[in-house]
């Protein structure tokens, strides 16, 4: 009966001012939708889970202890599906170990609504790189918020416009200026007509994404291989020089070092039998664990000064570098990541206890830097 009534109301909209028509129709449809879900609670729950409501509620719970009368840090993250829970583990760590500091952190989702910046001491955009190229609409929103902060003298960590320098073909050229060895990287605009020789590349080479981290890579050994590449599976492909980093023990090693301002902290060392080193393929025996432990407990990477130069050239405040050593013992940087995942669900599913001390130290370095940039470090 109610649905029939609302249908009749929509027909009567002819007599309403045109300026109000759209809003009234929209309101009626919202009410109809509400009534439909009211009688179908299970479907309503599934629908809500797909919306931004759970994220907003989660942020509201964290913000419940915020002291709005004191200067605080504003952290902005994406809505679903772009890493909506990024660095949740860090936030939980702060709340558990430093509850008085967590009351100085305010969480917000990226939207077009102007932010209330009262008592904001620092703006941290935890947003996916490269933001401008991958998510232009979200970049515009973030850039407007950043400008709003800058006009009020609020410092920003990893400005959103700097994130474009994380694109591999751009970043590796800049890093090479510091004297660090990097792979030659050539963006591919037309895969079918791409000729590596025209750009000074020879076989073997690697095809991967230029803008996205942790994606599938193709090892190309000859022209026949190149002709079989499924280019439709790539968004912005890049051809990269192959540099052999296999050790004398036939293992491949990839180090991750996180620069936080001028301070650094090792994150991990992954040792793998596979050419493309990933955490899921790590060799997890006692010998390899001990080698990783020795690296992560060193506090300062032996390449700290070089990598810090690279950070400055890229214009990042915080960045993680993935690197290996070539057969001559020379460092080879694969890529920078200003949006590094420091702890993920897979760490919870397996025994990563040997990494807990490492992540605690890294979190402490990160938190100290945030407090220093916000100008509230002396309060704790």
């Amino acid at each position: 009966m109610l649905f029939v009534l609302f249908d009749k109301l929509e027909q009567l909209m002819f007599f309403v001012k045109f300026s109000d028509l759209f809003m009234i129709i929209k309101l009626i449809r919202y009410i109809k939708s509400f009534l439909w879900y009211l009688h179908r609670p299970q479907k309503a729950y599934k629908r809500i889970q797909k919306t931004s409501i759970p994220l907003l509620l989660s942020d509201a719970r964290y913000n419940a202890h915020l002291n709005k009368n004191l200067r605080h840090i504003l952290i902005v993250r994406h809505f679903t599906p772009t890493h909506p829970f990024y660095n949740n583990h860090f936030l939980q760590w702060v709340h558990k170990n430093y509850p008085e500091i967590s009351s100085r952190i305010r969480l917000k989702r990226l939207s077009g609504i102007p932010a209330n910046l009262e008592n904001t001491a620092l703006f941290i955009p935890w947003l996916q790189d490269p933001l401008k190229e991958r998510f232009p609409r979200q970049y515009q929103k973030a850039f407007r918020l950043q400008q709003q902060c800058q006009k009020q003298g609020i410092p920003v960590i990893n400005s959103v416009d700097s994130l474009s320098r994380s694109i591999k073909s751009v970043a590796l050229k800049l890093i090479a200026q510091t004297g660090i060895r990097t792979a030659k990287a050539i963006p591919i605009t037309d895969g079918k007509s791409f000729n590596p020789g025209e750009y000074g590349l020879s076989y073997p080479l690697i095809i991967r994404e230029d803008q996205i981290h942790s994606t599938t890579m193709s090892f190309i050994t000859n022209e026949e291989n190149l002709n079989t590449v499924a280019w439709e599976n790539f968004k912005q492909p890049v051809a990269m020089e192959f540099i052999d980093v296999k050790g004398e023990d036939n293992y491949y090693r990839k180090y991750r070092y996180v620069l936080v301002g001028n301070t650094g902290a090792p994150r991990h060392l992954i040792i793998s039998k596979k050419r493309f080193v990933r955490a899921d393929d790590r060799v997890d025996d006692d010998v390899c664990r001990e080698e990783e432990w020795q690296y992560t407990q060193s506090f300062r990477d032996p390449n700290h000064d070089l990598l810090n130069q690279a950070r400055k050239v890229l214009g990042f405040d915080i960045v993680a570098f993935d690197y290996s050593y070539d057969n001559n013992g020379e460092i080879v940087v694969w890529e920078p990541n200003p949006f590094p995942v420091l702890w993920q669900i897979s760490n919870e599913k397996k025994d990563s206890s040997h990494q807990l001390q490492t992540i605690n130290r890294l979190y402490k370095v990160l938190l100290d830097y945030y407090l220093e940039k916000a100008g509230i470090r002396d309060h704790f």
Side-chain angles (χ1 to χ4, degrees):
M1 186 65 185
L2 281 172
F3 288 100
V4 175
L5 176 60
F6 283 122
D7 286 335
K8 294 294 183 183
L9 279 173
E10 281 188 313
Q11 295 172 18
L12 292 173
M13 286 304 101
F14 176 79
F15 299 101
V16 180
K17 286 183 180 180
F18 181 76
S19 60
D20 300 328
L21 187 61
F22 177 76
M23 291 302 298
I24 294 176
I25 290 176
K26 196 172 182 180
L27 177 61
I28 291 172
R29 287 175 178 170
Y30 273 136
I31 296 172
K32 288 174 68 175
S33 178
F34 172 76
L35 291 173
W36 190 88
Y37 281 113
L38 192 63
H39 296 285
R40 301 164 179 83
Q42 289 185 339
K43 290 188 176 181
Y45 177 76
K46 290 180 180 179
R47 177 69 180 270
I48 289 172
Q49 290 300 106
K50 294 180 180 179
T51 68
S52 58
I53 293 174
L55 297 177
L56 294 173
L57 291 175
S58 175
D59 288 356
R61 282 195 297 270
Y62 196 91
N63 291 339
H65 59 268
L66 175 70
N67 190 332
K68 297 180 180 179
N69 297 319
L70 298 176
R71 290 170 59 75
H72 58 265
I73 297 168
L74 172 63
I75 294 176
V76 173
R77 293 184 289 180
H78 290 286
F79 279 110
T80 304
T82 314
H83 290 284
F85 299 107
Y86 178 73
N87 263 356
N88 252 16
H89 190 264
F90 169 76
L91 293 171
Q92 293 164 3
W93 177 87
V94 174
H95 186 66
K96 177 182 178 181
N97 295 283
Y98 304 96
E100 70 283 4
I101 296 179
S102 68
S103 67
R104 296 287 197 100
I105 295 175
R106 175 162 65 102
L107 304 182
K108 186 184 184 309
R109 296 292 162 174
L110 182 61
S111 69
I113 302 172
N116 177 8
L117 298 179
E118 184 179 0
N119 287 326
T120 300
L122 178 66
F123 169 42
I124 308 176
W126 279 350
L127 303 173
Q128 178 70 65
D129 67 286
L131 190 65
K132 184 177 181 179
E133 289 73 17
R134 293 185 60 192
F135 310 102
R137 292 180 63 183
Q138 295 190 41
Y139 169 78
Q140 290 299 328
K141 295 174 183 178
F143 188 70
R144 284 196 295 269
L145 178 54
Q146 178 175 288
Q147 286 183 313
Q148 190 183 350
C149 290
Q150 290 170 336
K151 286 179 181 178
Q152 298 187 32
I154 300 169
V156 180
I157 299 289
N158 277 6
S159 63
V160 296
D161 40 316
S162 73
L163 299 179
S164 295
R165 292 191 287 275
S166 70
I167 297 172
K168 296 176 189 67
S169 57
V170 175
L172 295 182
K173 287 180 182 178
L174 291 171
I175 294 171
Q177 294 176 10
T178 67
I180 296 175
R181 186 180 183 185
T182 62
K184 188 173 185 177
I186 306 297
I188 300 173
T189 53
D190 182 6
K192 293 182 180 179
S193 63
F194 177 67
N195 181 358
E198 291 181 3
Y199 302 93
L201 286 176
S202 58
Y203 298 107
L205 54 85
I206 296 167
I207 304 294
R208 63 180 304 189
E209 288 286 355
D210 200 12
Q211 298 181 11
I212 305 175
H213 303 284
S214 302
T215 53
T216 301
M217 292 184 272
S218 298
F219 186 64
I220 309 299
T221 57
N222 52 45
E223 186 175 351
E224 185 178 352
N225 266 173
L226 186 63
N227 292 333
T228 61
V229 172
W231 296 107
E232 65 276 8
N233 294 334
F234 291 90
K235 294 182 177 180
Q236 292 89 22
V238 62
M240 299 187 67
E241 170 193 8
F242 170 68
I243 300 175
D244 192 6
V245 295
K246 182 190 286 188
E248 293 181 355
D249 55 3
N250 291 322
Y251 285 161
Y252 295 89
R253 289 165 172 80
K254 185 170 71 174
Y255 300 77
R256 169 163 286 192
Y257 189 58
V258 183
L259 269 300
V260 183
N262 292 316
T263 305
R267 172 58 188 93
H268 58 229
L269 162 59
I270 301 175
I271 302 174
S272 174
K273 295 179 181 179
K274 296 186 177 181
R275 180 182 294 112
F276 301 136
V277 180
R278 300 187 185 280
D280 291 341
D281 299 321
R282 74 194 314 149
V283 179
D284 198 22
D285 59 26
D286 291 341
V287 174
C288 291
R289 279 198 173 204
E290 177 61 25
E291 186 177 343
E292 181 181 20
W293 176 260
Q294 291 297 326
Y295 170 66
T296 57
Q297 297 309 302
S298 63
F299 293 91
R300 181 183 170 94
D301 189 284
N303 306 290
H304 174 90
D305 292 337
L306 263 179
L307 293 172
N308 198 31
Q309 287 181 41
R311 176 191 67 80
K312 292 176 181 178
V313 167
L314 291 169
F316 295 137
D317 300 297
I318 297 172
V319 62
F321 287 105
D322 289 336
Y323 75 87
S324 302
Y325 290 103
D326 65 15
N327 295 330
N328 297 318
E330 184 180 354
I331 182 176
V332 180
V333 168
W334 300 119
E335 62 178 317
N337 190 341
F339 187 75
V341 175
L342 302 177
W343 188 268
Q344 50 193 351
I345 296 176
S346 60
N347 294 119
E348 308 285 353
K349 294 180 179 178
K350 56 188 178 184
D351 182 14
S352 299
S353 56
H354 66 294
Q355 296 184 15
L356 289 176
Q357 187 174 338
T358 301
I359 200 68
N360 285 337
R361 188 170 68 251
L362 176 54
Y363 282 172
K364 187 66 169 64
V365 169
L366 199 60
L367 183 59
D368 285 346
Y369 184 71
Y370 288 161
L371 295 176
E372 180 182 345
K373 296 295 284 187
I376 57 177
R377 187 176 184 178
D378 294 340
H379 295 245
F380 302 100

